[in-house]
Amino acid sequence: MELRLVIAEKRSVAFAIAQALGNIGQGDGYVSAGGALISWAQGHLVELADPEAYSDMPWSERKWSMESLPIDPKTWRWELSGAKGATQRYRSLAGLIRSDRVTELVNACDPDREGEAIFRRILMSANVEKPSLRLWVASLDEQAIRDAWNRMTPESDYDGLAAAADARAKADWLVGMNASRAHTLAWRRPLSLGRVRTPTLNMVVQRDLAIESHRPTPFWRLVVPMDGWTLESGKIEDRASADRILANAKGLPVDVLDVERRREHAKPPTLFDLTGLQKAMNDRHGLTAEQTLDGLQNLYEMKVATYPRTDSKYITHDDVEGLRELLQPRYALGFLDQRPVEAIHDLYSAGGFDPMRCVADDKVAGHTAILPTRRLTYDVFQHDMTDIERKIMTVILTRMWASCATDRIHDTVKVDAVLDERHSDGSTERVPLSASSDATVEAGWAAIENASKTDGEGGKPSNRIPGSLGRGPLPQSGSPSLAEGVSAPPRPFTEATLLSAMEHASRFVADRDLKAALDDDTSHSGGIGTPATRAGILESLVRSGYLLRKGKQIRSTPVGRILVGVAIDELKDVKLTAQWEQRLADIEHGRGDEASFLNEIRAACAAMPGRVMEMTKQDGLRQLARQAGERESFGPCPRCGKPVVKTGSIWQCSSNKSAKDATGAWKLSEGCGYKIFSEKFGKKLTDSMVRRTLEGKRPKVSGLKSKAGKTFDARLVPDKQYGVGLSFDDLNRKKK
């Protein structure tokens, strides 16, 4: 009897498939349904092995050397993921794959490049060849799964996609390993480079440098009162000219050249993909991308939110009825504030919500947009969620309602006018003036989400331009004045704007074809990184000490700037990813081959050590390296008195040095060993807390936790043995 084994990427997807096929039975590490066994992976169970696994190669030695580069495996080696539970999950899958009962396999991993790689690597590691089919479905709707089940095609139809996935993984491995080792050896300091990490860091460094090099330039605008509304000139950058224009403008009539009135429709926002939700949570609640992803993952595992790591902002036709059911008032009352609830009630009563506004089958490549599920109840919302999870769910619900609502209809008015400045010699000079207004006619979706930002969109809310205004001369209604301003520097990146820059990285690429390759999200996420990896990339840059958070801002550190300064040019340019995506698309569609692409990567890696060493001869870069080596001191070490500096996420004495022992573990080789770890007493320490502690200022900290889980307040003091200790004396005296 023929028996199919279906392999999904995640357990939840496996159960969704089983639910769609019906007649569910429970097995050991699988479920049965519809005459098939259905099991699941755990993301990437099989990964490329580290260089140390190539024991017969010189670059496998624990001590790195420039002579051993480039790292270039002739035969690639793979190993099981070190993630918790991955080995057990692989063994369960491999046993099912090898079973004599199983005669056919079904790849039900995510319908994208990485999903293809996950399935193929499991089969490769299990060393099994059996007939295989591809279940390509973007929705977990039961009918959508059944429809996809009935139209499955041979897995061999996706060989191009698999080759592109394999090429991308190997190319990233080659570049990351060779670049990091070459730069670390050349500059004698740990430097970690990567195709996505380094361009992301470079964006922040360049923005920070632009901010620091900005020189504020004053400017003035002529403001002319016009009986309840005002006209303004453009920027006048010379004070003498501004004063002259003001003096000559008094009492002169204004000549209105054109009045443009338009009724405009602002479309509702799209549903959230992961990056969009991360940006919104950072803007509104200051959450990091990682905090949002973790909270959303918990909601997904509670089965009250759809799959988190999606790059889609739409749903398919198969999902319409499910969304229509969610558009019931019970999903607003108790979940949202009174103002949006009232707007939802009014629009719902008028039939103003339509889930078809969110449908775009061709734009759903993997999973659909983020939505709540019908398992969400008020009781779950109030009692089973953390504060962060409730905030995330509220934002998701708000966007769901807004995306299905009617347009915001608003009337805009734009006025172009001139004032003829008369000079003492009898000549005249025209001073252009303008005004605009934006008035809401029907708030539509904007009454639910973001209303405060849309009220004055396109103009000043205080400007009330008369409906009767037409062309021709008009008198001023008062004395004109000068409004002074100063040119502003670029704004520092926040986590939200940096995620947006990663998502829309094609704006940094000039070539039209490369732009298109970077934006194409049919088999990969657009931009650099993916919705699933961007949060991790930002966190790794912070942990490595290349970036730091200052409130909502993301800023570069001296160490981050040296990495960007010494990195070879293409590694810090998003153009590299664009070029790769163009080549990978060719491989996927049979216009190119994996071997030639990887040979080009190998050649670039072979030239890398020489190029990097050549850069060490540049005086400017050597000076930069020396400056970055002078790390900020947080205060004297309680053990030996030397400066305490920050390395990664910990603070430690600058005398400390570590080396790998015979087992490969890092051990203290020099120094007093003083360290302060990033979390103490259940509280994440900040730079300010540590600095004030080491300076003897005994900062008071709230929300510390005892081993029993009770919270308390205390003051932090230096502790030679444990890094930081507690003091309660001041607190007790104040209570008395």
Side-chain angles (χ1 to χ4, degrees), residues 333-345:
L333 189 63
F335 297 94
L336 308 182
D337 293 335
Q338 182 177 355
R339 183 180 175 190
V341 166
E342 291 175 353
I344 288 168
H345 180 271

Side-chain angles (χ1 to χ4, degrees), residues 260-277:
E260 180 185 355
R261 292 183 172 86
R262 297 181 62 182
R263 175 154 290 186
E264 299 184 358
H265 288 246
K267 298 295 182 184
T270 58
L271 296 169
F272 282 126
D273 62 358
L274 176 58
T275 302
L277 180 61

